[in-house]
């Protein structure tokens, strides 16, 4: 089930999570995020409140705070919360953070956010369609009436059609060390728990290597199933940029 297993998997990622961002740099991802959602962010009234409900290493929440937006960062993993606080501090910024699962959100916040983000393919860590419905209903409960909920996801239709098995990165420098990483996809079909093994390979003196294996559980789902769940939650779809050939897609929803 979504919860302790995924939480511990992300806790084990520790600084290796930042290695995934190091190829082009965290600031690149900040700018990309803000540019992608600039229309919504520019329309926010003064004193609006935004939730980053799967804040990871804090890149998106920090980008929002850099624009003087009141943001709260939450994540199921205390290690991801630590990385978020560290990244914000390194950028001379601060904002509230809390270690919470999606299902815990309504017990901590009540219909107070103008925008709720759930990005980084995080919703795929719902390990059944029923669980996904419950998780998205939790996002619904903490958004204001008329508020926006934004969810992005990997395009699992494309991934499973391609029967993807391996991805390998270029060599990346992070904290004076050199790494490359390989994704090994263990896919069991739609609506079935699957996982990806991530092998982080540290290259030492150009000739020796050290390997750190990690794993993340997720559940692939079709775009059509996702749309049905969103409608069952009572959400109005304002924008859906799904295309069968795209690697990822996002939906902008209104409560």
């Amino acid at each position: 089930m979504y919860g302790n297993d995924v939480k511990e998997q992300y806790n084990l990622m520790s600084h290796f999570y930042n290695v995934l961002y190091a190829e082009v740099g965290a600031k690149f991802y900040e700018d990309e995020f803000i540019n992608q959602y600039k229309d919504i962010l520019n329309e926010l009234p003064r004193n609006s409140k935004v939730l980053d409900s799967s804040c990871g290493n804090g890149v998106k929440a920090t980008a929002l705070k850099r624009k003087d937006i009141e943001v709260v960062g939450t994540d199921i993993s205390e290690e991801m919360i630590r990385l978020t606080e560290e990244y914000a501090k390194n950028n001379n910024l601060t904002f509230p953070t809390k270690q919470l699962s999606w299902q815990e959100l309504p017990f901590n916040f009540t219909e107070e956010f103008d925008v709720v983000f759930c990005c980084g393919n995080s919703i795929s860590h719902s390990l059944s369609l029923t669980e996904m419905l419950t998780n998205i209903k939790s996002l619904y409960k903490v958004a204001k009436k008329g508020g926006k909920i934004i969810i992005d996801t990997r395009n699992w239709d494309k991934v499973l059609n391609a029967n993807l098995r391996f991805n390998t990165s270029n060599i990346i420098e992070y904290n004076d060390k050199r790494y490359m990483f390989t994704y090994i996809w263990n896919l069991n079909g739609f609506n079935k728990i699957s996982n990806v093994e991530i092998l982080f390979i540290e290259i030492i003196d150009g000739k020796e290597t050290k390997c750190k294996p990690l794993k993340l559980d997720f559940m692939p789902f079709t775009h059509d199933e996702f749309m049905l769940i969103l409608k069952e939650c009572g959400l109005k779809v304002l924008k859906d940029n799904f295309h069968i050939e795209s690697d990822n897609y996002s939906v902008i929803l209104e409560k």
Side-chain angles (χ1 to χ4, degrees), residues 39 47 51 67 86 89 130 158 160 170 188 213 219 241:
D39 291 344
N47 300 321
L51 174 66
K67 286 183 65 69
E86 180 180 76
K89 182 179 178 181
T130 300
K158 179 180 178 180
L160 267 73
N170 297 320
N188 298 316
M219 183 199 69
N241 67 0

Side-chain angles (χ1 to χ4, degrees), residues 65-174:
K65 185 64 179 180
R66 204 187 293 278
K67 286 183 65 69
D68 293 323
I69 293 171
E70 186 180 352
V71 61
V72 176
T74 64
D75 199 284
I76 194 172
S77 160
E78 53 261 44
E79 180 64 14
M80 294 298 108
I81 292 296
R82 185 190 70 78
L83 291 180
T84 290
E85 292 172 347
E86 180 180 76
Y87 183 73
K89 182 179 178 181
N90 289 342
N91 285 276
N92 299 310
L93 295 168
T94 183
F95 48 83
T97 60
K98 198 161 187 177
Q99 186 258 315
L100 295 169
S101 70
W102 291 309
Q103 293 178 28
E104 292 172 316
L105 291 173
F107 300 100
N108 288 265
F109 309 103
T110 53
E111 296 189 69
E112 57 190 273
F113 295 103
D114 297 270
V115 180
V116 176
F117 284 101
C118 179
C119 293
N121 190 42
S122 301
I123 201 63
S124 299
H125 294 306
S126 306
L127 300 183
S128 72
L129 293 177
T130 300
E131 195 171 274
M132 184 185 293
L133 177 63
T134 301
N135 290 334
I136 296 174
K137 280 183 176 179
S138 294
L139 301 179
Y140 179 96
K141 289 175 183 177
V142 299
K144 290 180 180 178
K145 179 68 176 175
K148 307 294 191 299
I149 298 173
I150 300 169
I151 305 174
D152 71 17
T153 175
R154 190 179 292 275
N155 182 353
W156 295 112
D157 295 80
K158 179 180 178 180
V159 171
L160 267 73
N161 286 339
N163 196 25
L164 185 68
R165 188 74 178 99
F166 302 100
N167 287 109
T168 300
S169 76
N170 297 320
I171 294 174
I172 296 164
E173 293 191 9
Y174 178 70

Side-chain angles (χ1 to χ4, degrees), residues 164-167 182-186 195-199:
L164 185 68
R165 188 74 178 99
F166 302 100
N167 287 109
T182 296
Y183 281 64
I184 303 173
W185 298 91
N186 301 303
N195 68 67
V196 60
E197 298 173 75
I198 311 175
L199 306 180

Side-chain angles (χ1 to χ4, degrees), residues 48-60:
S48 293
K49 197 170 178 182
V50 175
L51 174 66
D52 182 354
S53 73
S54 46
C55 59
N57 62 356
V59 166
K60 297 176 180 68

